[in-house]
Amino acid sequence: MKKDIILSGVGGQGILSIATVTGWAALDQGLYLKQAEVHGMSQRGGDVQSNLRLSTEPIFSDLIPRGECDIVISLEPMEALRYLPWLSKTGWMVTNTTPFVNIPNYPETGELMAELAKLPNVITLDCDSIARDCGSPRSANMVLLGASAGVMEIIEPDKFREGIVSVFSRKGDAIVAANIAAFNAGLEQSKMIKR
């Protein structure tokens, strides 16, 4: 089994944390992992993307060819659409609906949602709002990871939770608990809206 994943968003939204938790969970589960360099992290507000390839068999390239991505995970709806050419015909788009307006001609939110709604396999959710409801506004990235776990299939949800503990434990128990709660909320939301 193999899953090719593109992580996208805007600098400062937590893409690197998603990649780190996913990588930890994959390796702990005995999967092979290749990750392309994360681009854009040096500029807060700039676009960020990374290729993440997971497999039960060895992987020889860290780049995902156009049209072959299994899941695009995006913390920003316009950035989600930017990587549409990489998504396979049966692939999943999992994206936050909260826009990060960082350019003067940013498209209307309704237009973005209409384009996303055309996809056969899409989960759209307001990760920012869900994170606030969980009491941790900075955990929108873990909400999105939870929603993605519902369609990823190659990694068990408990491995993600263990990854969250491992990655965030140095920040204290309250941060770990908040991130696990956000992950669980995203996973539950994806079960309700998955189509």
Side-chain angles (χ1 to χ4, degrees):
M1 177 184 269
K2 153 183 97 60
K3 289 291 176 180
D4 288 338
I5 302 163
I6 290 178
L7 305 174
S8 70
V10 173
Q13 287 188 304
I15 294 295
L16 188 56
S17 293
I18 291 174
T20 303
V21 169
T22 303
W24 189 97
L27 293 174
D28 195 60
Q29 195 167 303
L31 298 172
Y32 291 91
L33 164 73
K34 288 271 187 185
Q35 180 180 354
E37 185 177 333
V38 176
H39 296 281
M41 291 304 286
S42 63
Q43 179 185 351
R44 193 168 283 277
D47 67 309
V48 177
Q49 74 87 20
S50 180
N51 288 243
L52 192 61
R53 306 187 83 186
L54 312 173
S55 179
T56 54
E57 302 296 324
I59 306 163
F60 300 103
S61 173
D62 56 359
L63 296 178
I64 300 167
R66 280 179 174 247
E68 294 187 24
C69 182
D70 298 301
I71 308 170
V72 172
I73 301 171
S74 184
L75 275 160
E76 209 286 327
M78 187 177 77
E79 293 301 323
L81 292 172
R82 182 189 305 264
Y83 295 98
L84 199 52
W86 278 265
L87 193 62
S88 73
K89 292 183 191 304
T90 59
W92 280 90
M93 176 70 72
V94 184
T95 186
N96 187 6
T97 58
T98 306
F100 188 102
V101 181
N102 56 351
I103 56 173
N105 58 344
Y106 191 93
E108 291 293 322
T109 304
E111 292 174 19
L112 295 173
M113 294 305 115
E115 287 301 311
L116 289 165
K118 293 177 184 176
L119 299 174
N121 299 312
V122 64
I123 295 174
T124 58
L125 65 165
D126 185 344
C127 297
D128 293 59
S129 176
I130 295 167
R132 280 191 300 274
D133 290 348
C134 288
S136 181
R138 296 190 63 194
S139 298
N141 59 340
M142 291 299 113
V143 172
L144 186 66
L145 181 59
S148 304
V151 296
M152 200 175 298
E153 298 169 345
I154 196 167
I155 299 175
E156 301 165 15
D158 280 342
K159 286 295 177 191
F160 283 113
R161 291 181 189 101
E162 291 171 21
I164 290 168
V165 171
S166 177
V167 170
F168 291 104
S169 62
R170 63 183 169 77
K171 294 186 177 187
D173 292 344
I175 299 295
V176 169
N179 280 287
I180 289 176
F183 173 86
N184 290 339
L187 183 60
E188 286 307 308
Q189 285 289 318
S190 73
K191 291 175 183 175
M192 292 189 289
I193 60 179
K194 187 169 123 177
R195 62 172 172 108

